[in-house]
Amino acid sequence: MSPRRNRPHGGAKPVDRLGGDRYGLERTEEWRGEDWVVRLVGGGGAGKHYRCPGCDQEIPPGVPHVVAWPQHGDVDDRRHWHKACWNARDRRSARLQRSRNAPRY
């Protein structure tokens, strides 16, 4: 008896017709009465340290995350969020306190 094969045997890849959680694709979501452009960034595309505005924690390089900005905003308005923090943005308080020794980037 030969061992089980857990690898796919080629063929067509599944097609995501709704543009679900595919990295690099942009979608528009409404938040706080304004339209936001949301892009998922894969681990390979994340090369810098970012500060998540949802939890005020660092997003290290190589970690998949979400980039969001107002649809009619500037490049400086982009914010990098953990995916869970972006999904919970309405349940989080707007008043986060950063510790004294936390970097401000």
Side-chain angles (χ1 to χ4, degrees):
M1 181 185 292
S2 61
R4 250 178 72 187
R5 291 187 185 207
N6 290 330
R7 288 174 278 156
H9 294 291
K13 303 244 187 252
V15 177
D16 183 7
R17 298 188 190 282
L18 299 177
D21 284 348
R22 297 195 43 207
Y23 293 107
L25 295 179
E26 294 179 2
R27 65 180 185 270
T28 305
E29 295 183 18
E30 185 179 346
W31 182 45
R32 293 186 180 170
E34 109 178 88
D35 289 333
W36 287 70
V37 179
V38 179
R39 179 186 298 159
L40 295 173
V41 177
K48 293 173 34 180
H49 290 270
Y50 297 104
R51 175 76 50 190
C52 175
C55 65
D56 202 33
Q57 298 295 315
E58 185 177 282
I59 302 173
V63 173
H65 61 278
V66 174
V67 180
W69 64 93
Q71 188 172 20
H72 300 290
D74 196 0
V75 174
D76 295 333
D77 296 332
R78 290 185 298 188
R79 296 293 174 257
H80 296 255
W81 297 69
H82 293 106
K83 186 173 179 185
C85 295
W86 176 255
N87 292 337
R89 64 193 178 273
D90 292 328
R91 297 186 304 265
R92 300 209 180 244
S93 69
R95 189 118 165 88
L96 290 171
Q97 294 294 321
R98 182 178 290 148
S99 66
R100 279 185 197 197
N101 57 356
R104 296 199 172 267
Y105 54 83

